[in-house]
């Protein structure tokens, strides 16, 4: 039995994602594909375009067999914690033998070499990193310089490569038996906003929806070309009833949270300097994007600012991570497997996971406090709160009352 694991956001699910799952099944010969997917909020610090159950359903419709939720503590964290959390979750299933991820390069050997060097982090590397950071460089630029090899610069400048390296680091640190395989990115660049291309990026799709609310048939037709045919009816329905969230949709809730505090240093990813910047600027807050742009600087990237603001919104604090040593992946724990969906084929594998996994499988948070440890239950509460925030924003936007995590009925996915 061959089981391939994928760590993803599917924000939204598009043709490139369908290609990756087909590759796992048809080229790698996977009997099953398991996905560790971000829930209500993403690694960029923004709400997912569609809710997590819709996105899980889309993945299942396109060939995935089981979808588990990556806890929000990791889903909204830095690339290192996002990757480590995803690897840990898949390893906890006890059945995944291959980790498949996308990258801009097919040179897996070099990616592994960089991961090994970063895991080693000897004194020379640490000193060069410190000097580069002191010189005002971003962490990404400082890390590239500290490695001291110009040949790595291009690889480390590309987002999927960076995430691939973090996956490889986590596999090494966790002493995982999962075999890593990289699939060269097929289509537009990760950051590309060009919708008129083969396999447009998720960034391009979200940007197009933000700039062209798909009310006109022409705009909708352009957008749907980037979505697998089997999902086009579902995506059209979600868009027509406004059942999607964009970054600006968090603006009012975020403004309320910012106005309610006079110190933000306790929040994850927030430094003393960032906290001061927020305090000095919050009186001119005019919206999410403009505030992120105002706070970013040469040494603090937009993405970090966005994550900090997300952590303030969702009350994710540094203390939520004190159960682990942040520089030692082997101490990271994903203490439960939150099941978002499975298909008929995946049901047999689910039975195997129940036997092999050392952590419980949750389909609902009901009664979870009775069998989860205090640390695990605290993590689950963060997931529930994030889902509630997302649900409230979606209900306000659509005028539809969505069920909460306790009242939602779990159903096995059946392909239409």
């Amino acid at each position: 039995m061959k089981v391939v694991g994928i760590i993803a956001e599917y924000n939204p699910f598009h043709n490139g994602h369908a290609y990756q799952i087909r590759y796992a099944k048809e080229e790698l010969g996977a009997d099953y594909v398991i996905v560790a997917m971000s829930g209500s909020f993403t690694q960029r610090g923004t709400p997912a375009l569609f809710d997590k159950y819709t996105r899980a359903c889309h993945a299942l419709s396109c060939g995935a067999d089981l979808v588990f939720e990556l806890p929000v503590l990791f889903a909204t964290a830095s690339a290192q914690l996002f990757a480590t959390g995803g690897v840990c979750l898949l390893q906890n299933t006890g059945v995944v033998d291959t980790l498949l991820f996308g990258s801009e390069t097919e040179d897996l050997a070099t990616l592994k070499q960089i991961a090994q060097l970063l895991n080693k982090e000897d004194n020379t590397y640490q000193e060069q990193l410190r000097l580069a950071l002191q010189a005002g460089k971003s962490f990404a630029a400082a890390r590239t310089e500290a490695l001291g090899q110009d040949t790595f610069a291009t690889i480390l400048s590309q987002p999927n490569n960076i995430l691939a390296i973090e996956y490889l680091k986590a596999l090494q640190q966790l002493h995982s038996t999962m075999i890593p395989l990289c699939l060269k990115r097929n289509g537009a660049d990760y950051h590309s906003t060009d919708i008129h291309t083969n396999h447009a990026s998720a960034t391009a799709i979200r940007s197009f929806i933000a700039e062209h609310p798909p009310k006109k048939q022409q705009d909708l037709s352009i957008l749907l070309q980037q979505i697998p045919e089997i999902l086009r009816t579902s995506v059209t329905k979600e868009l027509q009833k406004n059942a999607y969230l964009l970054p600006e949709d968090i603006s009012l809730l975020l403004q309320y949270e910012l106005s309610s505090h006079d110190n933000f240093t306790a929040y994850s990813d927030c430094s003393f300097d960032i906290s001061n910047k927020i305090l000095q600027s919050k009186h001119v807050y005019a919206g999410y994007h403009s505030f992120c742009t105002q706070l970013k600087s040469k040494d603090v990237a937009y993405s970090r600012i966005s994550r900090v603001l997300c952590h303030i919104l969702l009350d994710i604090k540094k203390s939520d991570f004190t159960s682990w040593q942040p520089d030692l992946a082997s101490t990271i724990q994903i203490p439960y497997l939150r099941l978002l969906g499975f298909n008929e084929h995946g049901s047999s594998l689910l039975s195997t996971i129940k036997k092999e996994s050392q952590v419980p499988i949750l389909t609902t948070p009901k009664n979870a406090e009775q069998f989860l440890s205090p640390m695990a239950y605290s993590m689950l509460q963060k997931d529930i709160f994030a889902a509630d925030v997302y649900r409230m924003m979606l209900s306000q936007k659509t005028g539809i009352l969505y069920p909460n995590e306790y009242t939602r009925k779990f159903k096995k996915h059946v392909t239409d």
Side-chain angles (χ1 to χ4, degrees), residues 7-59:
I7 302 166
E9 293 186 323
Y10 295 153
N11 187 34
F13 195 100
H14 56 62
N15 291 331
H17 298 134
Y19 167 73
Q20 185 184 41
I21 294 176
R22 284 199 309 272
Y23 180 85
K25 294 271 179 100
E26 298 172 7
E27 301 298 325
L28 300 182
D31 298 294
Y32 300 94
V33 170
I34 296 179
V35 179
M37 190 189 77
S38 301
S40 301
F41 288 80
T42 70
Q43 208 255 334
R44 297 167 190 78
T46 57
L49 186 70
F50 298 130
D51 75 86
K52 60 186 179 183
Y53 297 102
T54 297
R55 285 157 39 236
C57 184
H58 288 173

Side-chain angles (χ1 to χ4, degrees), residues 122-316:
D122 57 23
N123 292 336
T124 300
Y125 170 85
Q126 293 284 7
E127 178 62 15
Q128 292 301 315
L129 180 67
R130 183 183 65 81
L131 291 174
L133 290 172
Q134 283 184 346
K137 296 186 177 180
S138 68
F139 179 80
R143 183 171 67 171
T144 301
E145 183 174 313
L147 285 171
Q149 296 196 38
D150 294 337
T151 55
F152 294 160
T154 300
I155 288 178
L156 284 166
S157 68
Q158 297 170 309
N160 285 110
N161 288 343
I162 292 172
L163 205 49
I165 290 166
E166 294 299 340
Y167 293 143
L168 293 167
K169 284 174 58 183
L171 288 171
Q172 294 169 14
Q173 292 172 332
L174 290 165
H175 306 291
S176 175
T177 58
M178 286 189 286
I179 298 171
L181 291 177
C182 62
L183 177 62
K184 184 172 172 53
R185 185 177 179 85
N186 184 6
D189 180 75
Y190 179 91
H191 290 303
S192 171
T193 57
D194 183 8
I195 195 75
H196 303 282
T197 184
N198 182 38
H199 285 190
S201 69
T203 300
I205 294 171
R206 294 192 304 272
S207 297
F208 186 82
I209 291 172
E211 296 168 9
H212 306 83
K215 302 299 183 183
K216 297 180 181 178
Q217 186 58 44
Q218 181 180 1
D219 289 338
L220 185 60
S221 297
I222 292 171
L223 176 67
L224 292 180
Q225 290 302 309
Q226 303 301 334
I227 306 296
E229 185 173 358
I230 195 174
L231 304 182
R232 290 175 185 173
T233 299
S234 171
V235 168
T236 299
K237 287 179 179 177
E238 296 301 305
L239 293 174
Q240 288 178 339
K241 63 183 181 182
N242 278 340
Y244 62 92
L245 294 181
L246 297 168
E248 286 301 319
D249 288 318
I250 72 173
S251 292
L252 286 178
L253 275 179
L254 178 60
Q255 184 177 28
Y256 173 78
E257 287 299 321
L258 294 178
S259 66
S260 303
H261 297 79
D262 57 10
N263 189 324
F264 301 98
T265 55
Y267 291 95
S268 183
D269 276 326
C270 191
S271 66
F272 177 80
D273 288 341
I274 293 175
S275 177
N276 278 348
K277 279 186 176 182
I278 294 173
L279 291 172
Q280 292 166 7
S281 305
K282 66 179 184 178
H283 66 285
V284 293
Y285 180 94
Y288 164 81
H289 175 67
S290 62
F291 199 58
C292 287
T293 302
Q294 184 175 352
L295 294 177
K296 75 171 186 176
S297 62
K298 181 180 178 181
D299 59 331
V300 182
Y302 182 105
S303 57
R304 181 175 176 186
I305 295 296
S306 179
R307 285 198 302 275
V308 168
L309 296 180
C310 177
H311 294 155
I312 293 171
L313 177 67
L314 300 181
D315 194 35
I316 296 176

Side-chain angles (χ1 to χ4, degrees), residues 53-176:
Y53 297 102
T54 297
R55 285 157 39 236
C57 184
H58 288 173
L60 294 167
S61 295
C62 291
D65 299 295
L66 292 162
V67 180
F68 291 104
E69 180 178 359
L70 181 63
V72 69
L73 293 185
F74 299 94
T76 62
S78 65
Q80 178 186 7
L81 281 174
F82 174 89
T84 303
V87 169
C88 184
L89 187 156
L90 292 175
Q91 181 166 282
N92 279 354
T93 65
V95 298
V96 176
D97 52 64
T98 303
L99 175 64
L100 178 64
F101 48 82
S103 59
E104 285 87 2
T105 180
E106 295 177 294
D107 189 355
L108 182 59
T110 299
L111 292 174
K112 286 182 176 179
Q113 181 185 1
I114 295 173
Q116 289 170 347
L117 289 171
L118 290 173
N119 272 336
K120 185 179 178 183
E121 290 194 357
D122 57 23
N123 292 336
T124 300
Y125 170 85
Q126 293 284 7
E127 178 62 15
Q128 292 301 315
L129 180 67
R130 183 183 65 81
L131 291 174
L133 290 172
Q134 283 184 346
K137 296 186 177 180
S138 68
F139 179 80
R143 183 171 67 171
T144 301
E145 183 174 313
L147 285 171
Q149 296 196 38
D150 294 337
T151 55
F152 294 160
T154 300
I155 288 178
L156 284 166
S157 68
Q158 297 170 309
N160 285 110
N161 288 343
I162 292 172
L163 205 49
I165 290 166
E166 294 299 340
Y167 293 143
L168 293 167
K169 284 174 58 183
L171 288 171
Q172 294 169 14
Q173 292 172 332
L174 290 165
H175 306 291
S176 175

